[in-house]
Amino acid sequence: MAVLEELKEAIISGKRDAAKELTQKALDGGMKPREIVVDGIAAAMEVVGEKFRANEFYVPELLIAQRAMKQALSLMSEEDVDHIGTEAIGTVKGDLHDIGKNLVAAMLEGAGFKVVDLGVDVSPDQFVKAVQENSVNVIAMSALLTTTMGSMRDTVAALETAGLRDKTRVLIGGAPVTQSYADEIKADGYAPDAATAVEKAKALLPA
Ligand code: B1M
């Protein structure tokens, strides 16, 4: 267990090499990948999220922890990790801002989600295709421009048209997005930051 505590600390403080070495040490010691992900990596990202919300960490610390987390995860294969759910994430059509979206994606990955990252400028049809091609539980949309937010509504409508709305939950966020906008377009959840996005995404998973 000591190695997982050390791994947590390494990720929280953004020590990339140490995060990788400690993950390797845990694997060599016979620990199961799931245990390492849940009790080491996800636990560390939870602390990072709490510190971010408490204004103890800012975006640079988040990005540094995210890189350390990626190093730890790089030693796990897809089959090794028992994902808690699948999330397709993207910045909506017409919008190229991806810093916040990448943070949300990294936090979701650290929390044990399989993340299908569709990138930026993602059209409603691309979101629909992602749901059709992967067993997606939650679609996560990010928008930073007031002029592109409307694409979130279009994506909800496209999911309905494709007959996928009932089985797909929709989570939205980004600087101009609000809870009242989420209510207006009938999204299932809104999160103001990356840490809350993880909480909301977990709550949206089927029981
Ligand atoms: Co842009 N830009 N930009 N820009 N840019 C803003 C957003 C703007 C507010 C600046 C301003 O005018 N004050 C303004 C938008 C105004 C508006 O619509 N209300 C703006 C504009 C106008 C533009 C252009 C149109 C400028 C131009 O060309 N005339 C242009 C548009 C390009 C396009 O997208 N088509 C443009 C371009 C760019 C750059 C390319 C230069 C660059 C983006 C680089 C990149 O992302 N790779 C850029 C940047 C960096 C910004 C600012 C400065 C910073 C955005 C950012 O990364 N913040 C921004 C002004 C500002 O915010 N101070 C601005 C840090 C990031 C961690 O926060 O993305 O909010 P954020 O994510 C947070 C939360 O919102 C939340 O969690 C994250 C972490 O807590 N969150 C989610 C985000 N997505 C979520 C999804 C969720 C849940 C939570 O669930 C799914």
Side-chain angles (χ1 to χ4, degrees), residues 1-15 18-19 22-23 35-48 50-51 57 65 68-69 72:
M1 197 63 195
V3 68
L4 290 187
E5 280 306 313
E6 284 181 67
L7 173 59
K8 257 178 79 177
E9 280 313 310
I11 293 174
I12 294 165
S13 49
K15 294 185 180 130
L22 288 160
T23 304
E35 191 182 352
I36 300 171
V37 171
V38 174
D39 297 331
I41 300 172
M45 292 312 283
E46 213 163 291
V47 175
V48 170
E50 279 160 16
K51 285 183 180 289
F57 270 17
M69 176 203 81

Side-chain angles (χ1 to χ4, degrees), residues 52 94 96-100 140-142 144-146 171 173-175 191-194:
F52 182 64
L96 305 176
H97 295 86
D98 67 355
I99 298 169
M141 288 185 273
S142 177
L144 263 288
L145 299 172
T146 43
L171 177 66
D193 57 57

